[in-house]
Amino acid sequence: MVFVWHFSPHDNNSFVIVFTDVFNHFNFHEFFRPPRPKNRDLNFHTKITLEDAFAGKELIVNFFKANGKEKILTVKIPPGIQSGVTLRLSGVGDDSVPGIPPGDVYVLIEILNHSQFQRQGDDLIRTLEIDAVDAMLGKSVQFNTIDGKTLDMQ
């Protein structure tokens, strides 16, 4: 997209016209508009196991809204989620004030430490101790993975 403006030293309105065109083209009026009111957002914090982070999980969240009504939500935690990620459920938060949109629900995910695996980014690390002689001879070692499968390594 190319914008071309011609300025005339005799036209005092050139700057105003250009400024107005740019302002309208990029929707800057949306940027300066005060935010629309909505009901309050709700924040939750949950801890899940590394197995749940690996496989994904459906989490049930129940809470009471400001008007005293209980609400039950199903939160789908995607496989591979990282610790510290906040999931947003739009428009399902507090709706106690009529006439304005409901708030959102935010769920902060924390992944618990695991006794056998450590996570580094998208990788799972497991340390196995084997005897040096067994390693040199290519002895097979069996171990369980995070999803319960047994692997045989040489």
Side-chain angles (χ1 to χ4, degrees):
M1 182 179 302
V2 176
F3 295 100
V4 178
W5 289 285
H6 298 280
F7 294 96
S8 167
H10 306 292
D11 184 4
N12 292 335
N13 292 326
S14 294
F15 177 75
V16 173
I17 292 170
V18 170
F19 184 76
T20 303
D21 286 347
V22 170
F23 193 78
N24 288 335
H25 178 76
F26 290 106
N27 264 347
F28 286 114
H29 59 279
E30 291 290 329
F31 180 74
F32 294 109
R33 183 178 296 167
R36 293 190 329 226
K38 67 175 186 173
N39 280 283
R40 68 185 179 99
D41 295 333
L42 303 174
N43 295 291
F44 298 97
H45 177 229
T46 189
K47 297 178 182 182
I48 63 172
T49 64
L50 189 58
E51 289 88 351
D52 290 338
F54 173 78
K57 178 179 183 161
E58 283 194 1
L59 181 70
I60 304 298
V61 176
N62 60 329
F63 58 93
F64 289 93
K65 299 187 286 185
N67 60 9
K69 293 182 181 176
E70 184 178 21
K71 182 140 187 173
I72 300 172
L73 298 175
T74 301
V75 179
K76 292 183 181 181
I77 298 175
I81 194 164
Q82 300 279 342
S83 195
V85 169
T86 299
L87 300 175
R88 176 180 174 223
L89 297 122
S90 181
V92 295
D94 186 41
D95 62 357
S96 58
V97 179
I100 61 173
D104 299 330
V105 169
Y106 294 93
V107 181
L108 174 63
I109 305 297
E110 180 182 342
I111 300 172
L112 299 169
N113 289 329
H114 195 276
S115 62
Q116 296 177 345
F117 293 94
Q118 292 79 42
R119 185 170 184 175
Q120 292 179 0
D122 288 334
D123 298 325
L124 289 178
I125 309 296
R126 179 164 182 193
T127 303
L128 297 173
E129 291 187 24
I130 59 171
D131 186 79
V133 174
D134 289 341
M136 287 188 282
L137 295 175
K139 183 179 177 186
S140 181
V141 176
Q142 286 188 340
F143 66 95
N144 291 330
T145 62
I146 191 81
D147 58 354
K149 296 177 184 171
T150 301
L151 289 183
D152 204 13
M153 286 188 61
Q154 254 186 329

